[in-house]
Amino acid sequence: SSSSSSSSSESSSNTVVLDLEGSDGRERGEDDQTFEKQTALFALASSDVLLVNVWCNDIGREHASGKPLLKTILQVNLKLFCTGSSTNNNNNKKTKLIFVIRDRSKTPIELLEKSLAEDIHQVWQSIKKPDIFAQSDVCEFFDVGYFSLPHFEHENELFVKECKGLRAALLSSATNTKLDESKVPSTALPTSMREIWKAVKENRDLDLPAHAIMVATVRCEEIATMCADAVEASDAIGMLCKRASDSKMEFSNALGKEIEAIAKTGFDVYDAETAFFDKNVREMKRRELAGKLTAVFKPTLEAHFTNVSKKLLTKVKREMDVAANGFENEDAQNKKSSSSSSS
């Protein structure tokens, strides 16, 4: 089986493809079902589309057709929906499950799709489900689709052509999908997938909404720190601070606008980089960024206020001296006038 994870926020060509071990891979040993469940859970938790390869001649068989793998997929998918506090599956992640029928024969594709659909329904009915999903249908959790391909070796050119058609269809579907804020942006994909696999390996409940919040918190904080550091290291803030420290430099009311413009460059980068993370998290970290930028501008503002204070004191002292000299001159003039009158 294979899975793909794409971000609808970016161009449709930016797609991550995970090629997972087949259900009967020899590397795992004879009875290692644990690893199969782990990889299936990892793929479901991290992907938008899950492709399951099924050989045409094996459809209708119990094991060769992949029924055990299908059962694993359905079971572990329920685990994703059962975690967290929400019981409304309309708010949960819905994966596109595509069965790729390989080496198609003369058997009508409609009959093969019908047989697979019956297998899905049968397996779904056979697995134990939580009470909240007891009456649910598999289509509430998966968008099931089918696609057939010719023989890879005997009809290679046609195989490649139709694979390109499948790829185009999947990318078109991803592009037209409504943006989901719970999804992780591509910039946070390494962090997200690392934490997903860690949770799977430790057999912990995988709460996808909480996972998305965790990833958003980590990445938004990293981006906020990056933006604040970039502003602090910029030439603009360096020049502004130097001007503020120069006692001979005259400052006008434009200082506030200059600081606002420099801060805006940091906020603009932050807003662009965090646009697709959880809204509450990115707004909280944006406020923290404002605090970081306040600290960045503190030396400039302190230097400015020091210079302004000195200039104000100098101005006031000068005016007081002028006023005092005026009083002395006026008093001397009054005394002179009084002496003249007496004589």
Side-chain angles (χ1 to χ4, degrees):
S1 63
S2 62
S3 61
S4 64
S5 175
S6 63
S7 172
S8 57
S9 64
E10 301 176 351
S11 70
S12 59
S13 61
N14 294 334
T15 303
V16 176
V17 178
L18 307 177
D19 185 10
L20 304 181
E21 180 189 27
S23 60
D24 58 351
R26 69 176 183 176
E27 291 85 356
R28 74 175 66 189
E30 293 182 359
D31 299 311
D32 191 1
Q33 295 181 349
T34 300
F35 185 69
E36 179 178 285
K37 291 183 179 180
Q38 288 175 338
T39 54
L41 182 56
F42 176 76
L44 287 168
S46 58
S47 303
D48 300 315
V49 180
L50 190 68
L51 303 177
V52 180
N53 287 301
V54 181
W55 302 108
C56 177
N57 293 334
D58 290 336
I59 295 177
R61 298 177 182 177
E62 185 64 26
H63 291 281
S65 64
K67 276 190 178 182
L69 175 61
L70 178 60
K71 186 174 183 178
T72 297
I73 291 172
L74 298 182
Q75 284 178 328
V76 297
N77 190 68
L78 280 177
K79 185 175 182 179
L80 299 181
F81 285 84
C82 292
T83 54
S85 57
S86 175
T87 57
N88 181 5
N89 56 7
N90 290 328
N91 294 328
N92 285 289
K93 179 179 179 180
K94 196 172 182 181
T95 301
K96 186 179 291 294
L97 180 62
I98 307 294
F99 289 91
V100 182
I101 302 171
R102 301 288 299 275
D103 298 355
R104 64 173 175 244
S105 63
K106 294 181 180 180
T107 304
I109 191 65
E110 294 80 7
L111 294 180
L112 298 175
E113 291 179 3
K114 181 180 179 182
S115 180
L116 284 173
E118 291 174 351
D119 286 346
I120 295 172
H121 179 75
Q122 180 184 354
V123 172
W124 179 255
Q125 294 299 321
S126 68
I127 63 175
K128 185 177 180 180
K129 295 180 281 293
D131 292 340
I132 57 174
F133 300 131
Q135 303 301 321
S136 60
D137 190 81
V138 67
C139 64
E140 297 176 30
F141 303 88
F142 290 99
D143 286 328
V144 182
Y146 307 93
F147 196 88
S148 67
L149 290 173
H151 199 284
F152 174 75
E153 293 182 355
H154 300 162
E155 301 176 274
N156 184 262
E157 290 186 4
L158 183 59
F159 178 91
V160 172
K161 179 180 179 181
E162 294 191 14
C163 280
K164 291 181 179 179
L166 173 60
R167 179 179 183 273
L170 292 176
L171 292 178
S172 176
S173 175
T175 303
N176 295 330
T177 300
K178 182 180 178 181
L179 180 62
D180 181 0
E181 282 198 343
S182 68
K183 291 185 178 180
V184 176
S186 59
T187 54
L189 193 59
T191 301
S192 174
M193 300 185 84
R194 181 176 62 247
E195 293 301 320
I196 288 175
W197 182 245
K198 182 179 178 182
V200 170
K201 288 283 288 182
E202 295 177 357
N203 200 25
R204 290 189 280 114
D205 286 338
L206 190 59
D207 187 347
L208 288 185
H211 170 78
I213 295 297
M214 180 277 295
V215 173
T217 301
V218 172
R219 282 297 298 147
C220 288
E221 186 169 334
E222 290 176 348
I223 294 169
T225 300
M226 176 195 71
C227 292
D229 291 345
V231 169
E232 185 174 18
S234 67
D235 293 337
I237 190 68
M239 293 174 60
L240 195 63
C241 189
K242 184 177 180 181
R243 288 169 53 198
S245 302
D246 187 355
S247 59
K248 298 180 181 180
M249 184 66 65
E250 290 291 337
F251 274 89
S252 65
N253 294 332
L255 176 64
K257 293 183 178 180
E258 289 184 59
I259 291 177
E260 183 179 349
I262 296 173
K264 186 177 182 298
T265 61
F267 283 121
D268 286 347
V269 173
Y270 176 86
D271 291 339
E273 292 290 330
T274 63
F276 302 105
F277 287 106
D278 179 82
K279 181 180 179 181
N280 293 330
V281 173
R282 68 172 184 259
E283 289 181 351
M284 176 182 68
K285 294 302 177 181
R286 196 179 196 275
R287 290 192 292 271
E288 292 184 11
L289 173 59
K292 293 177 186 290
L293 291 178
T294 299
V296 169
F297 289 114
K298 185 178 179 180
T300 300
L301 293 172
E302 287 180 342
H304 171 65
F305 292 144
T306 298
N307 282 339
V308 169
S309 298
K310 289 180 179 179
K311 290 177 181 179
L312 285 175
L313 287 174
T314 300
K315 182 179 179 182
V316 170
K317 185 176 182 302
R318 184 169 59 249
E319 291 179 351
M320 291 180 66
D321 289 342
V322 170
N325 291 334
F327 288 138
E328 290 177 358
N329 293 335
E330 184 178 352
D331 185 55
Q333 185 67 32
N334 290 336
K335 288 182 180 179
K336 183 178 180 181
S337 298
S338 177
S339 299
S340 301
S341 299
S342 298
S343 53

